C-alpha cells in the first residue's frame, strides 16, 4: 500500500484539506480500477476540516459522479460541511465497537493472540 502514490499514512496527513488534496483525489478517482469490475473508494477523514475552496472543489466531484466510485466523508461535526455537500450525502452514523467484540473478531477470525487483540480493542 505504501507504494501507492495516493497512500498517505494518517500521521503524515495535515489536519486541513486543501484544493490540492482534492485535485489529487479527483485524479485518483479518474484512474481505472486494477481489477475488472472493481470500484474506487475515496475516504475523506475529518471532512469538516476542508478549506472553503477545497469544499467547493469537492462539491464539483460530487456533482459529476463517475460509475463504480464510492465517496465516504468522515466528519465529527456535520454542521462543519457546506449545506450543499450535506444535501448530496447519505448520513450514516457509526458508533464505537465494544472491546469484547473487537477481541472476539481479532482472536476468533483473524488468529490474533488475545492479549494483542485486547490491546487493539482498547
Amino acid at each position: 500500500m505504501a507504494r501507492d502514490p495516493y497512500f498517505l499514512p494518517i500521521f503524515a496527513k495535515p489536519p486541513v484539506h486543501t484544493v490540492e488534496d482534492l485535485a489529487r483525489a479527483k485524479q485518483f478517482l479518474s484512474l481505472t480500477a486494477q481489477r475488472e469490475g472493481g470500484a474506487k473508494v475515496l475516504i475523506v477523514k475529518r471532512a469538516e476540516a476542508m478549506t472553503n475552496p477545497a469544499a467547493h472543489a469537492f462539491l464539483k466531484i460530487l456533482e459529476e459522479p463517475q460509475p463504480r466510485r464510492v465517496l465516504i466523508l468522515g466528519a465529527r461535526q456535520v454542521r462543519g460541511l457546506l449545506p450543499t455537500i450535506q444535501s448530496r450525502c447519505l448520513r450514516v452514523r457509526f458508533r464505537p465497537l465494544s472491546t469484547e467484540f473487537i477481541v472476539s473478531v481479532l482472536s476468533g477470525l483473524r488468529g490474533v493472540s488475545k492479549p494483542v487483540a485486547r490491546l487493539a480493542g482498547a
Side-chain angles (χ1 to χ4, degrees):
M1 251 171 69
R3 292 187 204 142
D4 182 349
Y6 300 100
F7 172 78
L8 280 177
I10 187 70
F11 54 82
K13 188 77 180 117
V16 175
H17 303 294
T18 64
V19 174
E20 291 80 20
D21 295 332
L22 275 292
R24 282 194 6 246
K26 189 172 184 177
Q27 181 183 10
F28 167 76
L29 290 171
S30 70
L31 298 174
T32 305
Q34 289 184 350
R35 295 188 178 136
E36 185 178 329
K40 287 281 187 175
V41 178
L42 175 68
I43 301 172
V44 179
K45 292 183 177 182
R46 295 206 48 219
E48 73 275 14
M50 281 190 254
T51 62
N52 201 32
H56 287 285
F58 189 76
L59 188 58
K60 181 100 170 142
I61 293 171
L62 283 176
E63 290 173 341
E64 298 172 357
Q66 296 176 341
R68 313 261 321 134
R69 303 303 187 252
V70 177
L71 307 175
I72 300 173
L73 300 181
R76 291 181 182 206
Q77 296 293 325
V78 177
R79 293 181 306 243
L81 297 171
L82 288 177
T84 48
I85 290 178
Q86 291 180 40
S87 69
R88 288 166 174 79
C89 294
L90 173 65
R91 191 174 189 177
V92 179
R93 294 181 145 231
F94 292 95
R95 304 218 183 266
L97 298 172
S98 70
T99 302
E100 295 78 28
F101 178 77
I102 294 171
V103 170
S104 69
V105 169
L106 289 177
S107 62
L109 298 175
R110 298 293 181 192
V112 176
S113 69
K114 287 206 179 209
V116 172
R118 278 192 199 92
L119 181 62

